[in-house]
Amino acid sequence: MDFRVRNLAKMRRFPTPQDGLRAMAERAPQAEAMAALWLGSVQPLWTTVYAWRRKAATITVALLAGLLFVHVLLGANGMVVYKQKRAEYESLQKRIVLEQKENDLYTQQIQGLKTDEKAIEKEAREQLHYARPGEYVYVPPAPANPVPPPANHSAKK
């Protein structure tokens, strides 16, 4: 077998680190020119954005504060709903007080019917139409059923 290298000039060799540094040094002016061109086009935009940063931040904070205010006022548990629930709570408290007074009245009536003979006699006379011997009970006749007023058919629908 023949292992001799015939075309040594055509054979490719691996670059050395110095070759890479040399190529980079040769292309450095082109890279600097490209960077300067890029900075020249981006720098005015960046300067404008940098100048507007406070205004943009102020607008963003104001917008977020406005959204938070609307959410607190009109949200699912906002102030409007809170005021409605508060009014409902107060009306229910008033109703509870009225019902409690009514319960107390009924409790007093029940207690009176259990212990007071005059209250028992009064209820027996009024509801059961009882009378003592020698007394007459007058029962008024039942009221006649009132005739309902005729329906007004001339109303517009």
Side-chain angles (χ1 to χ4, degrees), residues 1-109:
M1 285 224 225
D2 188 14
F3 288 113
R4 289 180 281 169
V5 178
R6 298 190 195 248
N7 261 335
L8 194 55
K10 290 184 179 179
M11 234 175 118
R12 184 165 181 183
R13 66 181 180 89
F14 293 109
T16 62
Q18 289 81 15
D19 292 338
L21 289 174
R22 189 177 308 117
M24 194 168 74
E26 289 172 359
R27 294 189 180 148
Q30 292 172 342
E32 286 179 7
M34 188 179 291
L37 180 67
W38 182 77
L39 280 175
S41 64
V42 171
Q43 193 167 10
L45 177 66
W46 176 250
T47 305
T48 306
V49 168
Y50 188 76
W52 281 83
R53 75 187 189 284
R54 281 192 176 182
K55 291 179 184 176
T58 303
I59 290 170
T60 303
V61 168
L63 184 64
L64 288 175
L67 289 173
L68 183 64
F69 176 74
V70 168
H71 176 69
V72 166
L73 191 63
L74 302 174
N77 292 324
M79 289 298 288
V80 173
V81 174
Y82 172 76
K83 288 190 183 248
Q84 289 173 347
K85 295 292 182 185
R86 185 71 177 178
E88 182 181 355
Y89 172 78
E90 289 174 1
S91 70
L92 288 175
Q93 287 294 339
K94 289 178 184 177
R95 186 172 172 198
I96 287 172
V97 168
L98 291 175
E99 294 292 332
Q100 192 67 36
K101 286 180 182 178
E102 187 178 345
N103 284 344
D104 292 341
L105 179 66
Y106 288 142
T107 304
Q108 288 175 357
Q109 286 179 351

